[in-house]
Amino acid sequence: MSSKLAALNHWVSEVSQLTQPDQIHWCDGSIVERDALVELMLERGELLALNPETHPDCYLHRSHPGDVARVEHLTFVCTADQADAGPNNNWMAPDQARASMDGLFTGCMRGRTLYVIPYCMGPIHSPYARCGVEITDSPYVVANMRIMTRMGADALARIEREGRFVRGLHSIGELDPERRFIMHFPEELSILSYGSGYGGNALLGKKCHALRIASWQARNEGWLAEHMLIVGIQNPQGETHYVAAAFPSACGKTNLAMLIPPVTHAGWKVWTIGDDICWLHPGPDGRLWAINPESGFFGVAPGTGRNTNPNALDMLDRDAIFTNVAVTAENGPWWEGKSDETPHKDWQGRDFDPGRGPAAHPNSRFTVSMRQCPSFSAEADNPAGVPISALIFGGRRESLVPLVFEALDWNHGVLVGASMASETTAAATGAVGVVRRDSMAMKPFCGYNFADYFSHWLSFGDRLEHLPKIFHVNWFRKGPDGKFLWPGFGDNLRVLQWILERCAGRAGAVETPIGLLPRREDLDLRGLESLNGSLDALLAIDPAGWRNEWADVGNYLDSFGARVPDALRAEHARVSALVGHVAPA
Ligand code: SAT
Ligand code: MN
């Protein structure tokens, strides 16, 4: 097979000359194709069938034990001018990057099949959607891309119509961490990824295209590509309002996206549009409209249980791919926090031994179509997207940052997003639990200089007639005993409720030096009497702590040098003065 698009055929033949595959397979996205790939992977031991009675069409993939997370230190943005990639990215000169990647790719697909995956990020007929083609030698990547994107014949037809697509070339190589690189060339809309089969490194439609390359396209075209979930919140009056929320990887985006309201909140319902990535466009009515470019969830398994995310559990008993989870004696998938069953084999397939750590890898994942989610909203397929009432930033902060606050205006909100910080998680290799700045949860994903990204965010103050309000939340505050102060999960709806009431002009707040906070009486805490004293701590402002915080943010902004927009500096000076810190001019 080949395509009607000469540029695509040309690229495929160029890549096959370089990589020397035994065969080329153009993916059409059909079930027949999926079944054949699954068959092949079962034969080769790359997939293991789970219990067909309890988990029909569910499979387990055990990755190489050294290939279980994104590798930020091996991920590069290769722009002609290093300053365009910015201090927030690793950089390599494009020619040098291409030459060393060509070396790795030479002959790497001998004995393998080269798969051509045409895909569309976003509803197939949406003007906001963008297409790409991934070439890979991994059937596991094909099977995951089929769930995560709109992949196959329809995407190819759109690509042929438009003549434009993002090019992603991927090979698992030898899965050798010494020969592993994820390279982005935003000026050419292309990606080269070698040596890893793990999600964010290998499913190129996801972080590589839908965030790093798309953020670059978005800046040029006047929109935003963000690391945000999207939910619709329906109130008892039957009105649904949409919010998008940015949190770093493994901070509960999937749980929030599928939230089930607490029992006190009869008549409320949360609708899931997306759990990870959000493309935001100024709409014809002057509001911000959001689409989820993905069509599936690549969610963190550990911690997903009846109490934390029942919707997720309900979508995971059929048609799902599990990566690096444990299995029970009945050959069902298992992870810490799932159930009281005891794991039988750990994520590496060894007899479970608690002495060796958790049974499931802390970054073990499930891949499943969003259509299987009980709270799935058909609006996820709306080509026009959904209108956004509020944007929410959040991090994992055990101290200082209150449960929720509202920014005073757009520029203040952009500063709040730019100042975001969070404790690191297992989603990336490296130390876990270290607080690092993670502006808009985009530190690992912004495909260009953060200073320019902040300017781009500020520019929406003029682009939009009806700006969404901006909020910051923190579900992760801990008391002196090390326990979480806020119950989280379903109870997070109470915070979303206040946020939407603020948007409607119906809820009260007090102005503090860091923004607008709810008072106890502004929150709907029915049934949460157990909270008692912790609410005071959750809503307290510690001026000395905030002086340090803003001083640290000042140093952080300095690290981006002269390209940091003056308006952001001015905003930083304003909020610093409010907590009694004089920011240097
Ligand atoms: O590995 S992914 O980037 O796909 C998931 C995540 O870290 O958010
Ligand atoms: Mn993510």
Side-chain angles (χ1 to χ4, degrees):
M1 200 196 125
S2 66
S3 155
K4 291 191 214 111
L5 188 64
L8 176 53
N9 292 331
H10 182 75
W11 178 55
V12 171
S13 75
E14 219 177 60
V15 168
S16 76
Q17 270 159 36
L18 176 69
T19 59
Q20 300 284 310
D22 280 11
Q23 298 173 57
I24 298 182
H25 176 96
W26 289 70
C27 299
D28 62 13
S30 64
I31 282 280
V32 177
E33 177 179 86
R34 198 272 319 254
D35 290 348
L37 280 171
V38 166
E39 213 43 58
L40 175 78
M41 286 187 279
L42 288 170
E43 261 166 43
R44 303 208 302 213
E46 289 168 23
L47 282 189
L48 302 168
L50 293 171
N51 187 326
E53 308 281 307
T54 56
H55 290 80
D57 292 311
C58 286
Y59 301 94
L60 167 63
H61 174 74
R62 292 194 181 118
S63 75
H64 186 285
D67 183 34
V68 293
R70 283 181 291 99
V71 280
E72 294 175 9
H73 61 296
L74 303 174
T75 301
F76 289 73
V77 169
C78 308
T79 44
D81 181 352
Q82 178 169 7
D84 290 333
N88 46 306
N89 281 302
N90 300 314
W91 176 86
M92 201 184 282
D95 287 348
Q96 188 197 342
R98 246 186 314 268
S100 57
M101 293 304 273
D102 276 359
L104 294 175
F105 277 108
T106 300
C108 75
M109 295 192 192
R110 280 198 193 105
R112 301 182 187 172
T113 298
L114 177 159
Y115 298 94
V116 183
I117 313 173
Y119 63 87
C120 178
M121 301 310 291
I124 194 96
H125 296 299
S126 172
Y128 302 146
R130 294 287 183 278
C131 292
V133 178
E134 173 165 359
I135 293 179
T136 181
D137 54 9
S138 161
Y140 166 81
V141 166
V142 179
N144 278 274
M145 284 288 284
R146 183 174 182 277
I147 297 173
M148 296 305 297
T149 72
R150 284 132 173 121
M151 178 266 255
D154 292 349
L156 182 60
R158 177 165 170 166
I159 289 166
E160 288 172 343
R161 229 175 21 249
E162 294 183 332
R164 284 187 304 152
F165 59 96
V166 170
R167 289 158 201 232
L169 170 56
H170 168 255
S171 170
I172 54 172
E174 308 80 38
L175 295 177
D176 174 359
E178 300 297 319
R179 287 162 57 83
R180 178 175 297 161
F181 290 103
I182 315 350
M183 302 276 191
H184 303 74
F185 304 84
E187 284 143 341
E188 293 170 13
L189 307 183
S190 77
I191 305 153
L192 296 174
S193 167
Y194 190 89
S196 167
Y198 170 76
N201 304 329
L203 312 179
L204 301 186
K206 196 173 178 53
K207 298 303 190 349
C208 300
H209 175 165
L211 288 177
R212 296 195 192 94
I213 299 290
S215 60
W216 178 282
Q217 288 180 296
R219 196 227 344 210
N220 293 338
E221 298 170 10
W223 50 283
L224 291 162
E226 297 300 322
H227 193 202
M228 292 178 169
L229 65 95
I230 312 165
V231 284
I233 300 151
Q234 185 179 326
N235 65 22
Q237 292 76 50
E239 305 157 355
T240 302
H241 297 279
Y242 296 90
V243 304
F247 298 83
S249 301
C251 285
K253 284 205 296 300
T254 307
N255 293 341
L256 187 61
M258 295 171 196
L259 180 151
I260 294 196
V263 287
T264 42
H265 281 59
W268 289 82
K269 159 112 186 117
V270 170
W271 296 98
T272 309
I273 306 276
D275 80 327
D276 194 38
I277 303 182
C278 167
W279 287 357
L280 292 159
H281 286 257
D285 60 355
R287 288 190 290 174
L288 205 50
W289 290 72
I291 62 164
N292 172 13
E294 302 191 280
S295 66
F297 307 115
F298 182 65
V300 181
T304 306
R306 262 300 135 217
N307 298 328
T308 60
N309 193 342
N311 276 332
L313 272 199
D314 288 343
M315 69 184 180
L316 292 176
D317 52 10
R318 71 207 142 90
D319 260 309
I321 299 174
F322 296 90
T323 302
N324 294 336
V325 300
V327 289
T328 62
E330 290 73 44
N331 201 24
W334 192 89
W335 49 80
E336 278 66 23
K338 179 170 188 270
S339 67
D340 296 338
E341 293 158 288
T342 14
H344 174 53
K345 299 274 182 198
D346 73 8
W347 65 279
Q348 297 187 62
R350 305 173 299 195
D351 287 340
F352 174 58
D353 169 1
R356 278 196 289 237
H361 187 275
N363 193 38
S364 55
R365 299 270 171 165
F366 53 76
T367 320
V368 69
S369 164
M370 64 179 176
R371 279 155 228 291
Q372 286 181 212
C373 178
S375 55
F376 171 69
S377 165
E379 289 299 307
D381 282 321
N382 190 335
V386 294
I388 294 297
S389 303
L391 294 172
I392 303 171
F393 295 118
R396 189 182 274 274
R397 294 293 295 269
E398 56 174 74
S399 59
L400 186 71
V401 183
L403 177 64
V404 58
F405 63 94
E406 176 187 334
L408 293 179
D409 57 23
W410 185 258
N411 281 10
H412 182 213
V414 173
L415 177 69
V416 167
S419 312
M420 259 175 74
S422 195
E423 292 143 23
T424 51
T425 68
T429 52
V432 166
V434 182
V435 175
R436 74 165 185 186
R437 294 276 157 218
D438 188 354
S439 299
M440 282 82 173
M442 285 286 278
K443 165 71 186 69
F445 307 120
C446 183
Y448 63 102
N449 191 321
F450 253 166
D452 300 338
Y453 173 73
F454 302 149
S455 299
H456 186 51
W457 261 88
L458 290 171
S459 75
F460 284 80
D462 295 325
R463 282 177 211 261
L464 293 172
E465 206 177 318
H466 307 288
L467 286 161
K469 279 182 181 285
I470 297 180
F471 296 82
H472 189 283
V473 301
N474 177 22
W475 317 135
F476 299 95
R477 273 298 283 280
K478 287 184 180 167
D481 58 358
K483 294 210 177 105
F484 288 113
L485 290 176
W486 175 250
F489 304 107
D491 287 306
N492 291 339
L493 180 72
R494 302 168 191 273
V495 174
L496 299 178
Q497 182 185 357
W498 179 74
I499 287 175
L500 289 181
E501 295 280 305
R502 289 292 301 163
C503 293
R506 289 195 290 255
V510 280
E511 190 160 341
T512 78
I514 68 157
L516 299 156
L517 261 77
R519 295 156 300 186
R520 181 181 283 265
E521 61 269 29
D522 298 320
L523 292 167
D524 181 349
L525 297 172
R526 285 170 299 140
L528 258 199
E529 286 71 27
S530 59
L531 214 55
N532 282 330
S534 28
L535 195 73
D536 294 334
L538 281 163
L539 297 176
I541 307 288
D542 160 21
W546 280 98
R547 273 196 293 280
N548 288 337
E549 180 78 0
W550 287 127
D552 189 60
V553 169
N555 295 335
Y556 172 70
L557 293 179
D558 287 345
S559 71
F560 298 99
R563 281 161 88 138
V564 173
D566 291 342
L568 200 65
R569 291 258 181 219
E571 194 54 29
H572 176 251
R574 188 186 69 76
V575 296
S576 299
L578 287 178
V579 291
H581 171 75
V582 182

